[in-house]
Amino acid sequence: MTLQLAKQYLSSLKCTIHIKQAIKAAAATAAVTAGVAVSPAFAGDAGAGEQVFNANCAACHAGGQNVIMPEKTLEKDALDQYLAGGRKESSVVTQVTNGKNAMPAFGGRLSDDDIANVATYVIATSEAGWDE
């Protein structure tokens, strides 16, 4: 009988998780429909992202610039125009993780948290404006 109760409990937990996921998805859909910005669940720490950026990215992207392809900066307008997927954290995560063209992939060098933090920093700083 105890095993049966444990199975029922686990089944109810799975149901609860699915319900919570559905509620979150519905809330996000409603917010997007209403035109409200929704922060992604993986939003990182911009302060930590700045440190990772300075240690790993600034050689090519100091001040939000790009020493290899000068038109493809980290400025807001350039990210809108050139970043695959648009100017959002998930697009930066993809770019940093996989690399593209002359940019190396950092997926094997940086942790997922470090990459999420860099993405948060890049998007936040592109919004505020890079200090030259």
Side-chain angles (χ1 to χ4, degrees), residues 66-109:
N66 186 330
V67 298
I68 306 298
M69 302 179 91
E71 70 281 3
K72 294 184 178 182
T73 69
L74 302 178
E75 302 285 345
K76 186 176 178 179
D77 291 341
L79 291 175
D80 281 332
Q81 183 175 358
Y82 297 112
L83 184 60
R87 184 179 39 87
K88 57 187 177 186
E89 288 182 38
S90 60
S91 299
V92 176
V93 167
T94 299
Q95 178 88 13
V96 173
T97 301
N98 301 320
K100 187 174 181 183
N101 299 324
M103 182 174 162
F106 285 86
R109 297 187 236 181

PDB file of all heavy atoms in Angstrom, residues 66-109:
ATOM      1  N   ASN A  66      33.555  46.499 -32.322  1.00  0.00           N
ATOM      2  CA  ASN A  66      33.962  45.228 -32.911  1.00  0.00           C
ATOM      3  C   ASN A  66      35.196  45.506 -33.764  1.00  0.00           C
ATOM      4  O   ASN A  66      35.096  46.143 -34.803  1.00  0.00           O
ATOM      5  CB  ASN A  66      32.824  44.654 -33.764  1.00  0.00           C
ATOM      6  CG  ASN A  66      33.114  43.267 -34.305  1.00  0.00           C
ATOM      7  OD1 ASN A  66      34.259  42.904 -34.557  1.00  0.00           O
ATOM      8  ND2 ASN A  66      32.065  42.501 -34.499  1.00  0.00           N
ATOM      9  N   VAL A  67      36.347  45.044 -33.320  1.00  0.00           N
ATOM     10  CA  VAL A  67      37.593  45.349 -34.035  1.00  0.00           C
ATOM     11  C   VAL A  67      37.743  44.530 -35.315  1.00  0.00           C
ATOM     12  O   VAL A  67      38.512  44.906 -36.194  1.00  0.00           O
ATOM     13  CB  VAL A  67      38.841  45.157 -33.136  1.00  0.00           C
ATOM     14  CG1 VAL A  67      38.803  46.097 -31.946  1.00  0.00           C
ATOM     15  CG2 VAL A  67      38.998  43.721 -32.683  1.00  0.00           C
ATOM     16  N   ILE A  68      37.009  43.434 -35.442  1.00  0.00           N
ATOM     17  CA  ILE A  68      37.114  42.581 -36.624  1.00  0.00           C
ATOM     18  C   ILE A  68      36.145  43.033 -37.713  1.00  0.00           C
ATOM     19  O   ILE A  68      36.509  43.156 -38.875  1.00  0.00           O
ATOM     20  CB  ILE A  68      36.841  41.096 -36.272  1.00  0.00           C
ATOM     21  CG1 ILE A  68      37.737  40.624 -35.130  1.00  0.00           C
ATOM     22  CG2 ILE A  68      36.974  40.206 -37.499  1.00  0.00           C
ATOM     23  CD1 ILE A  68      39.222  40.660 -35.414  1.00  0.00           C
ATOM     24  N   MET A  69      34.902  43.260 -37.346  1.00  0.00           N
ATOM     25  CA  MET A  69      33.855  43.690 -38.286  1.00  0.00           C
ATOM     26  C   MET A  69      33.220  44.968 -37.715  1.00  0.00           C
ATOM     27  O   MET A  69      32.226  44.890 -36.980  1.00  0.00           O
ATOM     28  CB  MET A  69      32.817  42.581 -38.472  1.00  0.00           C
ATOM     29  CG  MET A  69      33.440  41.281 -38.976  1.00  0.00           C
ATOM     30  SD  MET A  69      32.226  39.967 -39.159  1.00  0.00           S
ATOM     31  CE  MET A  69      31.752  40.250 -40.849  1.00  0.00           C
ATOM     32  N   PRO A  70      33.796  46.127 -38.023  1.00  0.00           N
ATOM     33  CA  PRO A  70      33.400  47.377 -37.360  1.00  0.00           C
ATOM     34  C   PRO A  70      31.915  47.726 -37.412  1.00  0.00           C
ATOM     35  O   PRO A  70      31.409  48.388 -36.513  1.00  0.00           O
ATOM     36  CB  PRO A  70      34.234  48.438 -38.087  1.00  0.00           C
ATOM     37  CG  PRO A  70      35.402  47.693 -38.628  1.00  0.00           C
ATOM     38  CD  PRO A  70      34.889  46.326 -38.959  1.00  0.00           C
ATOM     39  N   GLU A  71      31.205  47.275 -38.422  1.00  0.00           N
ATOM     40  CA  GLU A  71      29.775  47.602 -38.507  1.00  0.00           C
ATOM     41  C   GLU A  71      28.931  46.746 -37.557  1.00  0.00           C
ATOM     42  O   GLU A  71      27.810  47.103 -37.196  1.00  0.00           O
ATOM     43  CB  GLU A  71      29.258  47.468 -39.949  1.00  0.00           C
ATOM     44  CG  GLU A  71      29.163  46.051 -40.471  1.00  0.00           C
ATOM     45  CD  GLU A  71      30.481  45.421 -40.947  1.00  0.00           C
ATOM     46  OE1 GLU A  71      31.548  46.057 -40.827  1.00  0.00           O
ATOM     47  OE2 GLU A  71      30.434  44.286 -41.427  1.00  0.00           O
ATOM     48  N   LYS A  72      29.463  45.608 -37.134  1.00  0.00           N
ATOM     49  CA  LYS A  72      28.707  44.688 -36.279  1.00  0.00           C
ATOM     50  C   LYS A  72      29.095  44.881 -34.811  1.00  0.00           C
ATOM     51  O   LYS A  72      29.689  44.018 -34.174  1.00  0.00           O
ATOM     52  CB  LYS A  72      28.927  43.244 -36.731  1.00  0.00           C
ATOM     53  CG  LYS A  72      28.344  42.988 -38.109  1.00  0.00           C
ATOM     54  CD  LYS A  72      28.457  41.552 -38.521  1.00  0.00           C
ATOM     55  CE  LYS A  72      27.805  41.338 -39.882  1.00  0.00           C
ATOM     56  NZ  LYS A  72      27.853  39.937 -40.284  1.00  0.00           N
ATOM     57  N   THR A  73      28.703  46.037 -34.284  1.00  0.00           N
ATOM     58  CA  THR A  73      29.027  46.379 -32.905  1.00  0.00           C
ATOM     59  C   THR A  73      27.994  45.774 -31.960  1.00  0.00           C
ATOM     60  O   THR A  73      27.070  45.083 -32.383  1.00  0.00           O
ATOM     61  CB  THR A  73      29.036  47.907 -32.722  1.00  0.00           C
ATOM     62  OG1 THR A  73      27.693  48.391 -32.847  1.00  0.00           O
ATOM     63  CG2 THR A  73      29.945  48.591 -33.739  1.00  0.00           C
ATOM     64  N   LEU A  74      28.146  46.093 -30.698  1.00  0.00           N
ATOM     65  CA  LEU A  74      27.179  45.689 -29.689  1.00  0.00           C
ATOM     66  C   LEU A  74      26.244  46.842 -29.336  1.00  0.00           C
ATOM     67  O   LEU A  74      25.564  46.800 -28.311  1.00  0.00           O
ATOM     68  CB  LEU A  74      27.899  45.170 -28.439  1.00  0.00           C
ATOM     69  CG  LEU A  74      28.838  43.985 -28.677  1.00  0.00           C
ATOM     70  CD1 LEU A  74      29.527  43.576 -27.384  1.00  0.00           C
ATOM     71  CD2 LEU A  74      28.098  42.813 -29.293  1.00  0.00           C
ATOM     72  N   GLU A  75      26.217  47.837 -30.191  1.00  0.00           N
ATOM     73  CA  GLU A  75      25.280  48.952 -30.027  1.00  0.00           C
ATOM     74  C   GLU A  75      23.870  48.457 -30.333  1.00  0.00           C
ATOM     75  O   GLU A  75      23.670  47.521 -31.115  1.00  0.00           O
ATOM     76  CB  GLU A  75      25.632  50.112 -30.966  1.00  0.00           C
ATOM     77  CG  GLU A  75      27.032  50.677 -30.788  1.00  0.00           C
ATOM     78  CD  GLU A  75      27.172  51.536 -29.552  1.00  0.00           C
ATOM     79  OE1 GLU A  75      26.150  51.938 -28.958  1.00  0.00           O
ATOM     80  OE2 GLU A  75      28.329  51.821 -29.175  1.00  0.00           O
ATOM     81  N   LYS A  76      22.886  49.121 -29.745  1.00  0.00           N
ATOM     82  CA  LYS A  76      21.481  48.726 -29.876  1.00  0.00           C
ATOM     83  C   LYS A  76      21.059  48.552 -31.337  1.00  0.00           C
ATOM     84  O   LYS A  76      20.495  47.524 -31.715  1.00  0.00           O
ATOM     85  CB  LYS A  76      20.615  49.770 -29.174  1.00  0.00           C
ATOM     86  CG  LYS A  76      19.168  49.461 -29.098  1.00  0.00           C
ATOM     87  CD  LYS A  76      18.458  50.548 -28.297  1.00  0.00           C
ATOM     88  CE  LYS A  76      16.976  50.303 -28.244  1.00  0.00           C
ATOM     89  NZ  LYS A  76      16.282  51.321 -27.456  1.00  0.00           N
ATOM     90  N   ASP A  77      21.317  49.535 -32.174  1.00  0.00           N
ATOM     91  CA  ASP A  77      20.888  49.469 -33.573  1.00  0.00           C
ATOM     92  C   ASP A  77      21.575  48.329 -34.334  1.00  0.00           C
ATOM     93  O   ASP A  77      20.953  47.647 -35.141  1.00  0.00           O
ATOM     94  CB  ASP A  77      21.144  50.796 -34.289  1.00  0.00           C
ATOM     95  CG  ASP A  77      20.242  51.910 -33.791  1.00  0.00           C
ATOM     96  OD1 ASP A  77      19.187  51.600 -33.178  1.00  0.00           O
ATOM     97  OD2 ASP A  77      20.582  53.086 -33.999  1.00  0.00           O
ATOM     98  N   ALA A  78      22.869  48.131 -34.078  1.00  0.00           N
ATOM     99  CA  ALA A  78      23.597  47.060 -34.765  1.00  0.00           C
ATOM    100  C   ALA A  78      23.094  45.687 -34.319  1.00  0.00           C
ATOM    101  O   ALA A  78      22.968  44.772 -35.140  1.00  0.00           O
ATOM    102  CB  ALA A  78      25.100  47.192 -34.514  1.00  0.00           C
ATOM    103  N   LEU A  79      22.788  45.544 -33.031  1.00  0.00           N
ATOM    104  CA  LEU A  79      22.248  44.262 -32.561  1.00  0.00           C
ATOM    105  C   LEU A  79      20.894  43.996 -33.205  1.00  0.00           C
ATOM    106  O   LEU A  79      20.599  42.868 -33.594  1.00  0.00           O
ATOM    107  CB  LEU A  79      22.123  44.249 -31.036  1.00  0.00           C
ATOM    108  CG  LEU A  79      23.449  44.236 -30.262  1.00  0.00           C
ATOM    109  CD1 LEU A  79      23.184  44.347 -28.762  1.00  0.00           C
ATOM    110  CD2 LEU A  79      24.273  43.011 -30.584  1.00  0.00           C
ATOM    111  N   ASP A  80      20.070  45.043 -33.329  1.00  0.00           N
ATOM    112  CA  ASP A  80      18.784  44.888 -34.016  1.00  0.00           C
ATOM    113  C   ASP A  80      18.988  44.418 -35.455  1.00  0.00           C
ATOM    114  O   ASP A  80      18.260  43.567 -35.952  1.00  0.00           O
ATOM    115  CB  ASP A  80      18.013  46.215 -34.043  1.00  0.00           C
ATOM    116  CG  ASP A  80      17.320  46.533 -32.730  1.00  0.00           C
ATOM    117  OD1 ASP A  80      16.963  45.601 -31.997  1.00  0.00           O
ATOM    118  OD2 ASP A  80      17.133  47.728 -32.444  1.00  0.00           O
ATOM    119  N   GLN A  81      19.988  44.971 -36.105  1.00  0.00           N
ATOM    120  CA  GLN A  81      20.199  44.688 -37.530  1.00  0.00           C
ATOM    121  C   GLN A  81      20.928  43.372 -37.786  1.00  0.00           C
ATOM    122  O   GLN A  81      20.569  42.637 -38.702  1.00  0.00           O
ATOM    123  CB  GLN A  81      20.989  45.837 -38.160  1.00  0.00           C
ATOM    124  CG  GLN A  81      21.200  45.678 -39.643  1.00  0.00           C
ATOM    125  CD  GLN A  81      21.883  46.897 -40.261  1.00  0.00           C
ATOM    126  OE1 GLN A  81      22.165  47.884 -39.595  1.00  0.00           O
ATOM    127  NE2 GLN A  81      22.144  46.819 -41.548  1.00  0.00           N
ATOM    128  N   TYR A  82      21.943  43.068 -37.005  1.00  0.00           N
ATOM    129  CA  TYR A  82      22.829  41.959 -37.351  1.00  0.00           C
ATOM    130  C   TYR A  82      22.695  40.699 -36.491  1.00  0.00           C
ATOM    131  O   TYR A  82      23.077  39.617 -36.933  1.00  0.00           O
ATOM    132  CB  TYR A  82      24.291  42.410 -37.294  1.00  0.00           C
ATOM    133  CG  TYR A  82      24.636  43.481 -38.290  1.00  0.00           C
ATOM    134  CD1 TYR A  82      24.955  44.769 -37.867  1.00  0.00           C
ATOM    135  CD2 TYR A  82      24.640  43.208 -39.655  1.00  0.00           C
ATOM    136  CE1 TYR A  82      25.278  45.756 -38.788  1.00  0.00           C
ATOM    137  CE2 TYR A  82      24.957  44.189 -40.578  1.00  0.00           C
ATOM    138  CZ  TYR A  82      25.275  45.467 -40.140  1.00  0.00           C
ATOM    139  OH  TYR A  82      25.586  46.439 -41.049  1.00  0.00           O
ATOM    140  N   LEU A  83      22.220  40.805 -35.269  1.00  0.00           N
ATOM    141  CA  LEU A  83      22.202  39.641 -34.380  1.00  0.00           C
ATOM    142  C   LEU A  83      21.092  38.676 -34.802  1.00  0.00           C
ATOM    143  O   LEU A  83      19.913  39.052 -34.835  1.00  0.00           O
ATOM    144  CB  LEU A  83      22.003  40.076 -32.924  1.00  0.00           C
ATOM    145  CG  LEU A  83      22.070  38.972 -31.876  1.00  0.00           C
ATOM    146  CD1 LEU A  83      23.439  38.274 -31.900  1.00  0.00           C
ATOM    147  CD2 LEU A  83      21.786  39.556 -30.501  1.00  0.00           C
ATOM    148  N   ALA A  84      21.469  37.459 -35.129  1.00  0.00           N
ATOM    149  CA  ALA A  84      20.484  36.438 -35.524  1.00  0.00           C
ATOM    150  C   ALA A  84      19.495  36.238 -34.382  1.00  0.00           C
ATOM    151  O   ALA A  84      19.887  35.976 -33.259  1.00  0.00           O
ATOM    152  CB  ALA A  84      21.201  35.129 -35.848  1.00  0.00           C
ATOM    153  N   GLY A  85      18.222  36.419 -34.680  1.00  0.00           N
ATOM    154  CA  GLY A  85      17.196  36.278 -33.652  1.00  0.00           C
ATOM    155  C   GLY A  85      16.805  37.594 -33.016  1.00  0.00           C
ATOM    156  O   GLY A  85      15.888  37.653 -32.218  1.00  0.00           O
ATOM    157  N   GLY A  86      17.524  38.669 -33.338  1.00  0.00           N
ATOM    158  CA  GLY A  86      17.178  39.981 -32.802  1.00  0.00           C
ATOM    159  C   GLY A  86      17.874  40.303 -31.496  1.00  0.00           C
ATOM    160  O   GLY A  86      18.538  39.466 -30.904  1.00  0.00           O
ATOM    161  N   ARG A  87      17.713  41.539 -31.075  1.00  0.00           N
ATOM    162  CA  ARG A  87      18.374  42.054 -29.873  1.00  0.00           C
ATOM    163  C   ARG A  87      17.649  41.575 -28.625  1.00  0.00           C
ATOM    164  O   ARG A  87      16.762  42.223 -28.102  1.00  0.00           O
ATOM    165  CB  ARG A  87      18.415  43.591 -29.912  1.00  0.00           C
ATOM    166  CG  ARG A  87      19.170  44.221 -28.756  1.00  0.00           C
ATOM    167  CD  ARG A  87      19.213  45.738 -28.857  1.00  0.00           C
ATOM    168  NE  ARG A  87      17.993  46.329 -29.331  1.00  0.00           N
ATOM    169  CZ  ARG A  87      16.960  46.671 -28.567  1.00  0.00           C
ATOM    170  NH1 ARG A  87      16.993  46.471 -27.278  1.00  0.00           N
ATOM    171  NH2 ARG A  87      15.884  47.209 -29.106  1.00  0.00           N
ATOM    172  N   LYS A  88      18.034  40.387 -28.172  1.00  0.00           N
ATOM    173  CA  LYS A  88      17.491  39.817 -26.941  1.00  0.00           C
ATOM    174  C   LYS A  88      18.530  38.879 -26.341  1.00  0.00           C
ATOM    175  O   LYS A  88      19.442  38.416 -27.030  1.00  0.00           O
ATOM    176  CB  LYS A  88      16.164  39.112 -27.194  1.00  0.00           C
ATOM    177  CG  LYS A  88      16.216  38.012 -28.221  1.00  0.00           C
ATOM    178  CD  LYS A  88      14.839  37.483 -28.551  1.00  0.00           C
ATOM    179  CE  LYS A  88      14.948  36.440 -29.646  1.00  0.00           C
ATOM    180  NZ  LYS A  88      13.645  35.998 -30.093  1.00  0.00           N
ATOM    181  N   GLU A  89      18.377  38.627 -25.064  1.00  0.00           N
ATOM    182  CA  GLU A  89      19.372  37.825 -24.349  1.00  0.00           C
ATOM    183  C   GLU A  89      19.552  36.441 -24.960  1.00  0.00           C
ATOM    184  O   GLU A  89      20.681  35.958 -25.082  1.00  0.00           O
ATOM    185  CB  GLU A  89      19.019  37.715 -22.869  1.00  0.00           C
ATOM    186  CG  GLU A  89      19.243  39.014 -22.119  1.00  0.00           C
ATOM    187  CD  GLU A  89      18.944  38.907 -20.640  1.00  0.00           C
ATOM    188  OE1 GLU A  89      19.245  37.857 -20.032  1.00  0.00           O
ATOM    189  OE2 GLU A  89      18.418  39.889 -20.088  1.00  0.00           O
ATOM    190  N   SER A  90      18.476  35.801 -25.346  1.00  0.00           N
ATOM    191  CA  SER A  90      18.600  34.447 -25.892  1.00  0.00           C
ATOM    192  C   SER A  90      19.433  34.431 -27.172  1.00  0.00           C
ATOM    193  O   SER A  90      20.177  33.480 -27.423  1.00  0.00           O
ATOM    194  CB  SER A  90      17.227  33.826 -26.142  1.00  0.00           C
ATOM    195  OG  SER A  90      16.488  34.587 -27.068  1.00  0.00           O
ATOM    196  N   SER A  91      19.349  35.490 -27.958  1.00  0.00           N
ATOM    197  CA  SER A  91      20.154  35.577 -29.185  1.00  0.00           C
ATOM    198  C   SER A  91      21.632  35.758 -28.855  1.00  0.00           C
ATOM    199  O   SER A  91      22.502  35.185 -29.512  1.00  0.00           O
ATOM    200  CB  SER A  91      19.666  36.736 -30.052  1.00  0.00           C
ATOM    201  OG  SER A  91      18.323  36.537 -30.430  1.00  0.00           O
ATOM    202  N   VAL A  92      21.915  36.573 -27.828  1.00  0.00           N
ATOM    203  CA  VAL A  92      23.313  36.753 -27.402  1.00  0.00           C
ATOM    204  C   VAL A  92      23.851  35.434 -26.851  1.00  0.00           C
ATOM    205  O   VAL A  92      24.991  35.049 -27.147  1.00  0.00           O
ATOM    206  CB  VAL A  92      23.444  37.890 -26.360  1.00  0.00           C
ATOM    207  CG1 VAL A  92      24.871  37.998 -25.849  1.00  0.00           C
ATOM    208  CG2 VAL A  92      22.984  39.214 -26.949  1.00  0.00           C
ATOM    209  N   VAL A  93      23.040  34.727 -26.067  1.00  0.00           N
ATOM    210  CA  VAL A  93      23.460  33.429 -25.529  1.00  0.00           C
ATOM    211  C   VAL A  93      23.840  32.483 -26.666  1.00  0.00           C
ATOM    212  O   VAL A  93      24.885  31.834 -26.626  1.00  0.00           O
ATOM    213  CB  VAL A  93      22.357  32.806 -24.635  1.00  0.00           C
ATOM    214  CG1 VAL A  93      22.645  31.333 -24.349  1.00  0.00           C
ATOM    215  CG2 VAL A  93      22.225  33.578 -23.337  1.00  0.00           C
ATOM    216  N   THR A  94      23.020  32.423 -27.703  1.00  0.00           N
ATOM    217  CA  THR A  94      23.295  31.553 -28.851  1.00  0.00           C
ATOM    218  C   THR A  94      24.598  31.952 -29.534  1.00  0.00           C
ATOM    219  O   THR A  94      25.444  31.104 -29.837  1.00  0.00           O
ATOM    220  CB  THR A  94      22.128  31.598 -29.855  1.00  0.00           C
ATOM    221  OG1 THR A  94      20.953  31.120 -29.197  1.00  0.00           O
ATOM    222  CG2 THR A  94      22.414  30.758 -31.084  1.00  0.00           C
ATOM    223  N   GLN A  95      24.780  33.249 -29.761  1.00  0.00           N
ATOM    224  CA  GLN A  95      25.982  33.748 -30.434  1.00  0.00           C
ATOM    225  C   GLN A  95      27.236  33.448 -29.618  1.00  0.00           C
ATOM    226  O   GLN A  95      28.235  32.968 -30.148  1.00  0.00           O
ATOM    227  CB  GLN A  95      25.856  35.257 -30.663  1.00  0.00           C
ATOM    228  CG  GLN A  95      27.067  35.899 -31.312  1.00  0.00           C
ATOM    229  CD  GLN A  95      27.014  35.873 -32.810  1.00  0.00           C
ATOM    230  OE1 GLN A  95      25.985  35.597 -33.403  1.00  0.00           O
ATOM    231  NE2 GLN A  95      28.122  36.184 -33.430  1.00  0.00           N
ATOM    232  N   VAL A  96      27.188  33.731 -28.322  1.00  0.00           N
ATOM    233  CA  VAL A  96      28.357  33.510 -27.467  1.00  0.00           C
ATOM    234  C   VAL A  96      28.647  32.015 -27.338  1.00  0.00           C
ATOM    235  O   VAL A  96      29.803  31.595 -27.403  1.00  0.00           O
ATOM    236  CB  VAL A  96      28.146  34.159 -26.081  1.00  0.00           C
ATOM    237  CG1 VAL A  96      29.270  33.786 -25.122  1.00  0.00           C
ATOM    238  CG2 VAL A  96      28.049  35.676 -26.212  1.00  0.00           C
ATOM    239  N   THR A  97      27.623  31.219 -27.190  1.00  0.00           N
ATOM    240  CA  THR A  97      27.806  29.774 -27.024  1.00  0.00           C
ATOM    241  C   THR A  97      28.388  29.131 -28.274  1.00  0.00           C
ATOM    242  O   THR A  97      29.342  28.347 -28.190  1.00  0.00           O
ATOM    243  CB  THR A  97      26.461  29.102 -26.682  1.00  0.00           C
ATOM    244  OG1 THR A  97      25.948  29.677 -25.474  1.00  0.00           O
ATOM    245  CG2 THR A  97      26.631  27.600 -26.501  1.00  0.00           C
ATOM    246  N   ASN A  98      27.834  29.466 -29.434  1.00  0.00           N
ATOM    247  CA  ASN A  98      28.200  28.783 -30.677  1.00  0.00           C
ATOM    248  C   ASN A  98      29.222  29.515 -31.536  1.00  0.00           C
ATOM    249  O   ASN A  98      29.805  28.918 -32.434  1.00  0.00           O
ATOM    250  CB  ASN A  98      26.938  28.535 -31.514  1.00  0.00           C
ATOM    251  CG  ASN A  98      25.937  27.704 -30.766  1.00  0.00           C
ATOM    252  OD1 ASN A  98      26.282  26.755 -30.083  1.00  0.00           O
ATOM    253  ND2 ASN A  98      24.673  28.077 -30.867  1.00  0.00           N
ATOM    254  N   GLY A  99      29.395  30.817 -31.299  1.00  0.00           N
ATOM    255  CA  GLY A  99      30.269  31.610 -32.159  1.00  0.00           C
ATOM    256  C   GLY A  99      29.636  31.797 -33.524  1.00  0.00           C
ATOM    257  O   GLY A  99      28.587  31.240 -33.825  1.00  0.00           O
ATOM    258  N   LYS A 100      30.293  32.615 -34.343  1.00  0.00           N
ATOM    259  CA  LYS A 100      29.816  32.821 -35.711  1.00  0.00           C
ATOM    260  C   LYS A 100      30.880  33.620 -36.452  1.00  0.00           C
ATOM    261  O   LYS A 100      31.415  34.579 -35.923  1.00  0.00           O
ATOM    262  CB  LYS A 100      28.482  33.577 -35.711  1.00  0.00           C
ATOM    263  CG  LYS A 100      27.850  33.688 -37.086  1.00  0.00           C
ATOM    264  CD  LYS A 100      26.474  34.312 -36.986  1.00  0.00           C
ATOM    265  CE  LYS A 100      25.847  34.405 -38.358  1.00  0.00           C
ATOM    266  NZ  LYS A 100      24.542  35.065 -38.289  1.00  0.00           N
ATOM    267  N   ASN A 101      31.139  33.217 -37.680  1.00  0.00           N
ATOM    268  CA  ASN A 101      32.171  33.869 -38.490  1.00  0.00           C
ATOM    269  C   ASN A 101      33.479  33.925 -37.714  1.00  0.00           C
ATOM    270  O   ASN A 101      33.963  32.904 -37.278  1.00  0.00           O
ATOM    271  CB  ASN A 101      31.697  35.250 -38.966  1.00  0.00           C
ATOM    272  CG  ASN A 101      30.455  35.167 -39.834  1.00  0.00           C
ATOM    273  OD1 ASN A 101      30.294  34.236 -40.612  1.00  0.00           O
ATOM    274  ND2 ASN A 101      29.561  36.126 -39.669  1.00  0.00           N
ATOM    275  N   ALA A 102      34.039  35.103 -37.516  1.00  0.00           N
ATOM    276  CA  ALA A 102      35.332  35.225 -36.838  1.00  0.00           C
ATOM    277  C   ALA A 102      35.228  35.062 -35.319  1.00  0.00           C
ATOM    278  O   ALA A 102      36.236  34.856 -34.649  1.00  0.00           O
ATOM    279  CB  ALA A 102      35.964  36.580 -37.155  1.00  0.00           C
ATOM    280  N   MET A 103      34.019  35.127 -34.779  1.00  0.00           N
ATOM    281  CA  MET A 103      33.858  35.005 -33.329  1.00  0.00           C
ATOM    282  C   MET A 103      33.912  33.539 -32.910  1.00  0.00           C
ATOM    283  O   MET A 103      33.136  32.720 -33.402  1.00  0.00           O
ATOM    284  CB  MET A 103      32.531  35.617 -32.884  1.00  0.00           C
ATOM    285  CG  MET A 103      32.344  35.560 -31.381  1.00  0.00           C
ATOM    286  SD  MET A 103      30.872  36.438 -30.884  1.00  0.00           S
ATOM    287  CE  MET A 103      30.656  35.741 -29.260  1.00  0.00           C
ATOM    288  N   PRO A 104      34.800  33.226 -31.977  1.00  0.00           N
ATOM    289  CA  PRO A 104      34.887  31.833 -31.522  1.00  0.00           C
ATOM    290  C   PRO A 104      33.714  31.461 -30.620  1.00  0.00           C
ATOM    291  O   PRO A 104      33.065  32.328 -30.036  1.00  0.00           O
ATOM    292  CB  PRO A 104      36.199  31.803 -30.728  1.00  0.00           C
ATOM    293  CG  PRO A 104      36.364  33.201 -30.235  1.00  0.00           C
ATOM    294  CD  PRO A 104      35.788  34.088 -31.313  1.00  0.00           C
ATOM    295  N   ALA A 105      33.468  30.177 -30.514  1.00  0.00           N
ATOM    296  CA  ALA A 105      32.443  29.672 -29.595  1.00  0.00           C
ATOM    297  C   ALA A 105      33.013  29.659 -28.178  1.00  0.00           C
ATOM    298  O   ALA A 105      34.142  29.243 -27.961  1.00  0.00           O
ATOM    299  CB  ALA A 105      32.038  28.260 -30.008  1.00  0.00           C
ATOM    300  N   PHE A 106      32.224  30.138 -27.239  1.00  0.00           N
ATOM    301  CA  PHE A 106      32.636  30.131 -25.840  1.00  0.00           C
ATOM    302  C   PHE A 106      31.886  29.083 -25.031  1.00  0.00           C
ATOM    303  O   PHE A 106      32.067  28.987 -23.824  1.00  0.00           O
ATOM    304  CB  PHE A 106      32.424  31.519 -25.216  1.00  0.00           C
ATOM    305  CG  PHE A 106      33.450  32.519 -25.664  1.00  0.00           C
ATOM    306  CD1 PHE A 106      33.280  33.230 -26.834  1.00  0.00           C
ATOM    307  CD2 PHE A 106      34.598  32.732 -24.919  1.00  0.00           C
ATOM    308  CE1 PHE A 106      34.229  34.142 -27.262  1.00  0.00           C
ATOM    309  CE2 PHE A 106      35.552  33.638 -25.335  1.00  0.00           C
ATOM    310  CZ  PHE A 106      35.370  34.348 -26.507  1.00  0.00           C
ATOM    311  N   GLY A 107      31.057  28.283 -25.699  1.00  0.00           N
ATOM    312  CA  GLY A 107      30.266  27.264 -25.017  1.00  0.00           C
ATOM    313  C   GLY A 107      31.098  26.254 -24.257  1.00  0.00           C
ATOM    314  O   GLY A 107      30.687  25.771 -23.218  1.00  0.00           O
ATOM    315  N   GLY A 108      32.255  25.936 -24.727  1.00  0.00           N
ATOM    316  CA  GLY A 108      33.119  24.988 -24.030  1.00  0.00           C
ATOM    317  C   GLY A 108      34.059  25.635 -23.040  1.00  0.00           C
ATOM    318  O   GLY A 108      34.697  24.958 -22.248  1.00  0.00           O
ATOM    319  N   ARG A 109      34.139  26.975 -23.082  1.00  0.00           N
ATOM    320  CA  ARG A 109      35.083  27.694 -22.219  1.00  0.00           C
ATOM    321  C   ARG A 109      34.426  28.367 -21.029  1.00  0.00           C
ATOM    322  O   ARG A 109      35.052  28.539 -19.992  1.00  0.00           O
ATOM    323  CB  ARG A 109      35.809  28.768 -23.018  1.00  0.00           C
ATOM    324  CG  ARG A 109      36.653  28.228 -24.127  1.00  0.00           C
ATOM    325  CD  ARG A 109      37.458  29.330 -24.737  1.00  0.00           C
ATOM    326  NE  ARG A 109      37.193  29.390 -26.163  1.00  0.00           N
ATOM    327  CZ  ARG A 109      37.755  30.233 -26.972  1.00  0.00           C
ATOM    328  NH1 ARG A 109      38.580  31.132 -26.524  1.00  0.00           N
ATOM    329  NH2 ARG A 109      37.469  30.207 -28.259  1.00  0.00           N
TER     330      ARG A 109
END
